Amino acid sequence: MDTLSIPYAICLLSLLRICVCANGNSNLFNVLSYGASGDGTTDDSSAFMKAWSDTCNATNNPTLVIPQGKQFLVRQMIFKGPCKSSTIKVQLSGTILAPDGPDQWKSTDLSTWLAFQGVNGLRIYGKGTMDGRGKGWWDRNCKYHPGLQGCITLAPTSLKFHKCNNIKMKDISFHNSPQIHVLLLGTQNVDLGYLKIQSPRTSPNTDGIHLQIATNVSIHNSNIAAGDDCISIGDRTFNINITDINCGPGHGISIGSLGKSGESAQVENINVMRVNFRETTNGARIKTWQTGKGIVQFVTFSNLNFTAVANPIIIDQYYCYRPNACKQTKTGVHIRAVRYSGLIGTSKTKVAINLNCSNVVGCTGIKLDNIRLAPATREIGQLTSSCNNAYGINRGTIQPESCLHHTFSSV
Ligand SMILES: *[C@@H]1O[C@H](CO)[C@@H](O)[C@H](O)[C@H]1NC(C)=O
Ligand SMILES: *[C@@H]1O[C@H](CO)[C@@H](O)[C@H](O)[C@H]1NC(C)=O
Ligand SMILES: *[C@@H]1O[C@H](CO)[C@@H](O)[C@H](O)[C@H]1NC(C)=O
Ligand SMILES: *[C@@H]1O[C@H](CO)[C@@H](O)[C@H](O)[C@H]1NC(C)=O
Ligand SMILES: *[C@@H]1O[C@H](CO)[C@@H](O)[C@H](O)[C@H]1NC(C)=O
């Protein structure tokens, strides 16, 4: 046996080496190897930043690993690119914890907790959680606590993608963000799937996902429960597919608000398909300020199921919470070519279809196609539709009865 042991050991070692290389372990950058403690109380930010620096500098498909079974407390961090490899993976299996409320927040920048900036080819996966620990922020929110000294209007977004291209993220959970959970800004070619976003109904401004200056985005197979919009679509957004989503509680799926400070808005090719809305304060919503200009066009809301939803179908071109922006102007955002198709379920408000379009530009090319809405409770009585300057056509059954002004052109 002794005579065999040395060659045997060499053989075993070389086998191990092969295994190591085949697993690509040389490309794994685990935050624990950089000194992160993962105990939920020690600040692990510098370990994360060092691990990111090596990941971003590695040349072939590196992976930043945030392992499971641990909680990593980290402060505000910006993961900057460009990186050397054309794909960068982030395996998020553990939990990342934000500083616990405004008193623990050390940065002067309150806008963002974690951000990727200028990173291309990012893949984030792994059943991990980002816990924003928002309660301390919500408790001092100005909107919910008017008159409170030192109240807060801006609280951190949990995860921001800024000027990134080619992003995929799946299976991640987001809890209790101080404000927006996921923000896409100046970002294109994005696939977000199998996400779980969860914050209480009463948490202020906690949108699930917000898009602004974003092109080619797919958001699918996700559950979103929040205190504000499940998904909100801001200005300069193009080619957005939102499919197979459970939304609620929350404020629904919203395009806008647009044109708040008189901007010229541009939003095109938005498809919202197969969404279940449960007890949300709106369903399919488009909201613009009277001061706005520009256009929203080629929007489809199809196969939506509303359960006890207030304002299931709503266009509000008189959206306003800032006094001088509420006056009638000579402008308006033109909303055209919007199709509502296969919408069913129950409404908590009597006006279930509310197309309150601008008196200046109006809505054109609206299509209502097979809509069957019933009152959520007997007390609501028979549902109605309401149209102001809304033009378009009807197809199939429309309940409540349509109020659209007919036009024969398609726009
Ligand atoms: C890559 O490495 C260089 C030199 O070691 C360093 O200066 C730079 O900050 C690193 N880049 C990133 C993105 O971390
Ligand atoms: C969006 O996707 C289309 C089709 O794949 C592609 O031609 C276009 O370049 C993309 N736009 C951006 C901004 O990447
Ligand atoms: C959106 O869906 C359409 C139709 O299925 C598809 O052609 C298009 O590529 C999708 N766009 C994105 C960004 O996923
Ligand atoms: C709509 O949602 C309700 C409540 O979850 C459910 O009972 C019903 O089956 C759904 N309808 C369709 C067509 O999926
Ligand atoms: C339409 O908007 C105007 C102006 O805000 C408002 O007074 C009116 O009640 C709205 N109509 C409906 C049906 O909501």
Side-chain angles (χ1 to χ4, degrees), residues 263-397:
E263 304 94 313
S264 183
Q266 205 182 354
V267 173
E268 295 181 17
N269 291 321
I270 312 295
N271 294 300
V272 178
M273 223 187 322
R274 296 186 301 271
V275 177
N276 295 313
F277 294 89
R278 181 175 283 274
E279 292 176 18
T280 51
T281 57
N282 298 276
R285 175 156 72 153
I286 303 176
K287 55 183 182 191
T288 71
W289 297 69
Q290 287 185 79
T291 43
K293 297 186 278 284
I295 195 155
V296 172
Q297 63 181 347
F298 312 124
V299 176
T300 305
F301 291 102
S302 62
N303 300 86
L304 310 183
N305 185 357
F306 305 103
T307 305
V309 167
N311 309 305
I313 299 172
I314 179 164
I315 293 178
D316 179 7
Q317 296 214 263
Y318 300 89
Y319 187 73
C320 193
Y321 55 80
R322 199 168 65 182
N324 2 336
C326 308
K327 298 190 292 265
Q328 173 87 53
T329 58
K330 291 203 172 71
T331 62
V333 177
H334 185 190
I335 295 174
R336 69 185 282 272
V338 180
R339 183 162 65 94
Y340 299 90
S341 175
L343 276 46
I344 60 166
T346 58
S347 174
K348 255 167 72 169
T349 49
K350 192 169 177 61
V351 183
I353 302 176
N354 188 354
L355 307 176
N356 204 349
C357 297
S358 161
N359 281 324
V360 182
V361 287
C363 301
T364 56
I366 306 292
K367 186 170 179 183
L368 297 176
D369 169 14
N370 285 298
I371 295 174
R372 282 180 293 114
L373 299 173
T377 59
R378 201 179 283 270
E379 293 72 55
I380 292 161
Q382 202 177 0
L383 300 182
T384 62
S385 64
S386 165
C387 292
N388 180 58
N389 217 12
Y391 295 85
I393 56 171
N394 305 305
R395 286 280 177 274
T397 308

Side-chain angles (χ1 to χ4, degrees), residues 175-284:
H175 293 164
N176 299 334
S177 182
Q179 217 162 75
I180 297 169
H181 290 77
V182 179
L183 171 63
L184 304 180
L185 180 63
T187 286
Q188 53 265 316
N189 305 310
V190 181
D191 184 302
L192 306 180
Y194 309 95
L195 303 182
K196 259 197 243 147
I197 297 179
Q198 195 153 30
S199 285
R201 180 192 298 273
T202 51
S203 57
N205 306 116
T206 54
D207 295 71
I209 303 173
H210 180 68
L211 286 63
Q212 188 105 13
I213 317 179
T215 301
N216 293 349
V217 178
S218 168
I219 302 171
H220 59 94
N221 303 93
S222 294
N223 295 328
I224 305 177
D228 208 302
D229 296 328
C230 289
I231 300 173
S232 54
I233 298 163
D235 193 12
R236 289 197 272 157
T237 46
F238 306 92
N239 308 340
I240 313 295
N241 291 347
I242 295 169
T243 53
D244 303 290
I245 304 288
N246 291 314
C247 166
H251 295 182
I253 294 184
S254 182
I255 295 177
S257 69
L258 299 169
K260 181 178 178 181
S261 310
E263 304 94 313
S264 183
Q266 205 182 354
V267 173
E268 295 181 17
N269 291 321
I270 312 295
N271 294 300
V272 178
M273 223 187 322
R274 296 186 301 271
V275 177
N276 295 313
F277 294 89
R278 181 175 283 274
E279 292 176 18
T280 51
T281 57
N282 298 276

Side-chain angles (χ1 to χ4, degrees), residues 3-128:
T3 52
L4 282 175
S5 64
I6 287 167
Y8 178 75
I10 289 169
C11 180
L12 197 63
L13 273 174
S14 59
L15 268 173
L16 277 172
R17 273 169 63 114
I18 288 163
C19 290
V20 166
C21 294
N23 281 339
N25 281 359
S26 57
N27 292 333
L28 298 182
F29 300 92
N30 189 322
V31 293
L32 293 177
S33 316
Y34 291 82
S37 75
D39 64 3
T41 54
T42 309
D43 182 348
D44 286 330
S45 309
S46 71
F48 272 64
M49 290 317 293
K50 283 182 212 150
W52 171 256
S53 175
D54 283 358
T55 307
C56 190
N57 256 335
T59 49
N60 76 44
N61 305 327
T63 305
L64 174 71
V65 179
I66 300 152
Q68 66 175 18
K70 304 241 173 230
Q71 297 198 309
F72 300 94
L73 169 64
V74 298
R75 54 184 154 76
Q76 179 180 60
M77 295 190 293
I78 299 173
F79 301 108
K80 285 204 174 104
C83 298
K84 295 216 170 112
S85 176
S86 58
T87 17
I88 301 285
K89 294 186 230 167
V90 175
Q91 184 195 321
L92 172 54
S93 304
T95 296
I96 311 185
L97 291 178
D100 197 2
D103 296 332
Q104 300 298 316
W105 189 261
K106 301 294 179 235
S107 170
T108 52
D109 175 7
L110 302 179
S111 72
T112 319
W113 174 30
L114 303 182
F116 288 95
Q117 189 174 310
V119 180
N120 301 326
L122 190 59
R123 306 281 175 269
I124 304 178
Y125 57 94
K127 303 209 190 294

Side-chain angles (χ1 to χ4, degrees), residues 126-201:
K127 303 209 190 294
T129 300
M130 283 185 59
D131 184 347
R133 300 207 282 186
K135 191 170 183 306
W137 299 93
W138 310 333
D139 288 347
R140 291 202 214 156
N141 181 273
C142 297
K143 201 157 86 183
Y144 283 30
H145 305 277
L148 177 74
Q149 209 186 346
C151 72
I152 289 162
T153 51
L154 178 66
T157 286
S158 282
L159 181 60
K160 173 163 88 173
F161 296 96
H162 186 205
K163 296 188 173 162
C164 295
N165 186 19
N166 189 4
I167 305 297
K168 281 192 176 156
M169 176 163 73
K170 65 171 188 176
D171 291 327
I172 307 296
S173 295
F174 293 85
H175 293 164
N176 299 334
S177 182
Q179 217 162 75
I180 297 169
H181 290 77
V182 179
L183 171 63
L184 304 180
L185 180 63
T187 286
Q188 53 265 316
N189 305 310
V190 181
D191 184 302
L192 306 180
Y194 309 95
L195 303 182
K196 259 197 243 147
I197 297 179
Q198 195 153 30
S199 285
R201 180 192 298 273

